[in-house]
Amino acid sequence: MNDILVSPSILAADFALLGREVADLEIAGADWIHVDVMDGHFVPNITFGPQMVKAIRPYTEQPLDVHLMVEDAVRFVPAFVEAGADILTVHAETEKDLAQSVATIHGVGKKAGVAICPQTPVLALLPVLEVVDMVLIMTVQPGFGGQKMREDCLEKIAQVRQMSGREELRVQVDGGIDGMNVKRALRKGADTIVAGSYIFQAKSKATAIASLRRI
Ligand code: DX5
Ligand code: ZN
């Protein structure tokens, strides 16, 4: 059983102050920093690319958990690794050859995650379930923060746990997570928690982050 890790999403941060925001998240107890990269094709929103990862890199020692919501994301793996990404998560829906994309990330010595959207069944993970370091179960439609968590997605966490059986596999949950619904995700077997709005809207980031670790 893995330790529960909290990876605050900087999509909810002040983009004009990202370095400072990232440094504050580390002080508040963030285990990782979740960096939502959006290309305007796979999702109807655009955020930032490798240069932004490079810019925030010096502001934290914590691993940068880069969520690539990008068509054919494998093309950009070298650039994000060069910029300082530690974990790179691609979507099963965007990759021409998912196993090859995972192998490319491993080939440069980084941790590989694979994400599935709410409408994508866990079967889509089969080609890589034995080799990925992390599965990301989206509990909202990717593209925007501040949405409500979709309860129907939680069962997919348990399905992945059942299909995999690998103790060391991390299962990340992402989208609409707060201090209450996180308990249902943890009980289903999630161990890596992404939250954006919940943390950035809280009076105390540290209290909000700590609350996400409590089953
Ligand atoms: C959505 C992103 C999520 C989102 C989480 O496409 O992948 O990481 O930023 O933000 P909240 O926690 O506000 O839903
Ligand atoms: Zn994300």
Side-chain angles (χ1 to χ4, degrees), residues 62-104:
Q62 302 305 72
L64 297 182
D65 164 34
V66 177
H67 178 191
L68 294 167
M69 289 161 273
V70 172
E71 244 354 288
D72 193 16
V74 69
R75 295 171 294 158
F76 299 99
V77 164
F80 279 101
V81 170
E82 172 67 28
D86 297 285
I87 302 119
L88 295 98
T89 296
V90 297
H91 266 262
E93 300 90 349
T94 61
E95 303 307 290
K96 295 187 179 80
D97 178 341
L98 187 56
Q100 182 49 52
S101 296
V102 169
T104 300

Side-chain angles (χ1 to χ4, degrees), residues 9 11 34 36 38 67 69 138 142-146 174-176 194-197:
S9 162
L11 187 65
H34 188 76
D36 283 311
M38 301 182 187
H67 178 191
M69 289 161 273
M138 291 301 297
F144 297 92
D174 181 7
V194 175
S197 322

Side-chain angles (χ1 to χ4, degrees), residues 6 8-10 12-14 17 20-30 195-213:
V6 176
S9 162
I10 56 171
D14 178 344
L17 300 170
R20 175 80 258 135
E21 297 268 63
V22 164
D24 287 352
L25 286 172
E26 178 171 351
I27 293 164
S197 322
Y198 175 64
I199 292 171
F200 280 92
Q201 287 168 7
K203 271 202 300 301
S204 151
K205 288 193 178 79
T207 308
I209 289 171
S211 76
L212 292 168
R213 292 193 182 95

